[in-house]
């Protein structure tokens, strides 16, 4: 199948605009079990992120585990595969599994036009590589951006004023990096992102899995700002 023209700028922007509204979206990242998926269902979360092909992460799961988690999620929740400099073979596995988006940290794999990536890309940036934003700003495959701290998944914040220097476009902008129920309202007021992305900020104290009370508190904090 020729996917070269599936996602031109207009198509991606229409898809994103249909998927979003004036409210700040919530993305919970690093799911590792179907039980955590149920926490998201209970709190009307918009995006669910799962780390794949990155064994360095304690949140890394297999494609098979991801499929089981996705089967538990409400249909309204967008499924996001989170990867680091993936190979095109890994992208194909992600597409076949039924993810809605692929969030790419590092390099996007080069493909021939007839073998294009067939699902929208969320390009992740951190404070050390925001200079490459312009490169992706004009890339028709990119549906949105995730701005994170220099160590993604570390739970550390960064200077939110850095995002002020990024020209806004019609693509989705998600803010990540050290967010938690206590600071997410401040982050929204400072950056005005389309959505906020949290992982460690809603985990148990021992970082072994997501905490349902913290997910609820995070969702309430975001909703109170909307």
């Amino acid at each position: 199948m020729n996917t070269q023209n599936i996602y031109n700028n207009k198509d991606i922007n229409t898809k994103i605009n249909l998927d979003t509204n004036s409210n700040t979206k919530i993305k919970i990242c690093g799911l590792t079990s179907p039980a955590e998926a149920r926490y998201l269902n209970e709190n009307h979360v918009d995006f669910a992120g799962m780390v794949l092909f990155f064994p360095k992460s304690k949140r890394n799961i297999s494609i098979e585990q991801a499929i089981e988690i996705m089967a538990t999620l409400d249909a309204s929740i967008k499924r996001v595969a989170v990867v680091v400099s993936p190979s095109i073979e890994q992208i194909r596995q992600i597409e076949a599994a039924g993810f809605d988006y692929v969030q790419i940290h590092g390099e996007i794999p080069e493909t021939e036009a007839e073998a294009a990536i067939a699902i929208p890309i969320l390009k992740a940036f951190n404070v050390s590589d925001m200079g490459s934003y312009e490169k992706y700003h004009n890339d028709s495959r990119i549906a949105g951006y995730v701005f994170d701290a220099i160590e993604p998944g570390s739970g550390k914040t960064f200077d939110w004023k850095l995002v002020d220097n990024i020209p806004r476009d019609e693509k989705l902008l998600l803010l990540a990096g050290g967010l938690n129920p206590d600071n997410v309202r401040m982050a929204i007021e400072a950056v005005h992102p389309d959505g906020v992305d949290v992982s460690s900020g809603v985990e148990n104290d021992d970082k072994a899995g997501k905490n349902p009370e913290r997910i609820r508190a995070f969702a309430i904090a975001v909703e109170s700002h909307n």
Side-chain angles (χ1 to χ4, degrees):
M1 180 179 67
N2 189 327
T3 56
Q4 180 178 6
N5 296 317
I6 288 181
Y7 292 112
N8 60 35
N9 278 329
K10 181 178 179 182
D11 292 338
I12 283 182
N13 297 339
T14 300
K15 178 179 177 63
I16 292 297
N17 289 337
L18 288 174
D19 287 348
T20 62
N21 54 37
S22 59
N23 291 338
T24 306
K25 298 298 181 180
I26 299 173
K27 177 171 174 281
I28 306 292
C29 202
L31 298 189
T32 58
S33 72
E36 294 177 344
R38 286 189 281 273
Y39 303 157
L40 272 59
N41 296 342
E42 294 164 3
N43 290 285
H44 309 292
V45 169
D46 303 284
F47 298 88
M50 286 152 267
V51 178
L52 300 171
F53 310 119
F54 194 61
K56 290 181 181 180
S57 171
K58 62 187 176 184
R59 306 178 188 98
N60 185 66
I61 59 174
S62 67
I63 282 282
E64 292 73 23
Q65 289 173 302
I67 290 172
E68 184 179 3
I69 291 170
M70 288 194 289
T72 308
L73 289 167
D74 285 347
S76 62
I77 299 177
K78 300 299 181 183
R79 285 85 164 142
V80 183
V82 181
V83 291
V84 179
S85 299
S87 67
I88 193 61
E89 291 77 16
Q90 291 170 340
I91 293 290
R92 293 292 174 254
Q93 291 184 58
I94 288 166
E95 292 169 346
F99 282 93
D100 298 296
Y101 297 90
V102 56
Q103 176 178 319
I104 299 180
H105 297 253
E107 297 301 316
I108 298 174
E110 296 297 327
T111 64
E112 298 295 333
E114 60 270 18
I117 296 172
I119 60 175
I121 297 170
L122 299 177
K123 183 65 183 78
F125 295 87
N126 61 44
V127 294
S128 66
D129 65 5
M130 284 186 178
S132 61
Y133 166 82
E134 190 61 33
K135 171 183 175 183
Y136 298 108
H137 170 64
N138 296 314
D139 190 328
S140 63
R141 301 171 299 173
I142 307 301
Y145 320 104
V146 179
F147 288 102
D148 205 343
I150 197 166
E151 298 176 51
S154 66
K156 298 178 181 178
T157 58
F158 65 95
D159 183 358
W160 294 322
K161 291 182 179 179
L162 291 171
V163 183
D164 290 340
N165 299 323
I166 301 297
R168 294 296 180 89
D169 56 22
E170 63 284 346
K171 297 179 182 182
L172 191 69
L173 187 152
L174 299 176
L175 179 67
L179 300 182
N180 58 55
D182 296 324
N183 68 9
V184 67
R185 284 194 63 183
M186 186 186 307
I188 293 170
E189 290 168 0
V191 179
H192 305 290
D194 297 308
V196 286
D197 187 337
V198 63
S199 184
S200 60
V202 292
E203 288 180 335
N204 293 309
D205 289 337
D206 60 2
K207 302 301 181 184
K210 298 293 185 276
N211 181 291
E213 288 78 20
R214 289 178 181 173
I215 288 177
R216 182 58 184 155
F218 189 87
I220 289 173
V222 175
E223 290 165 4
S224 69
H225 185 274
N226 290 332

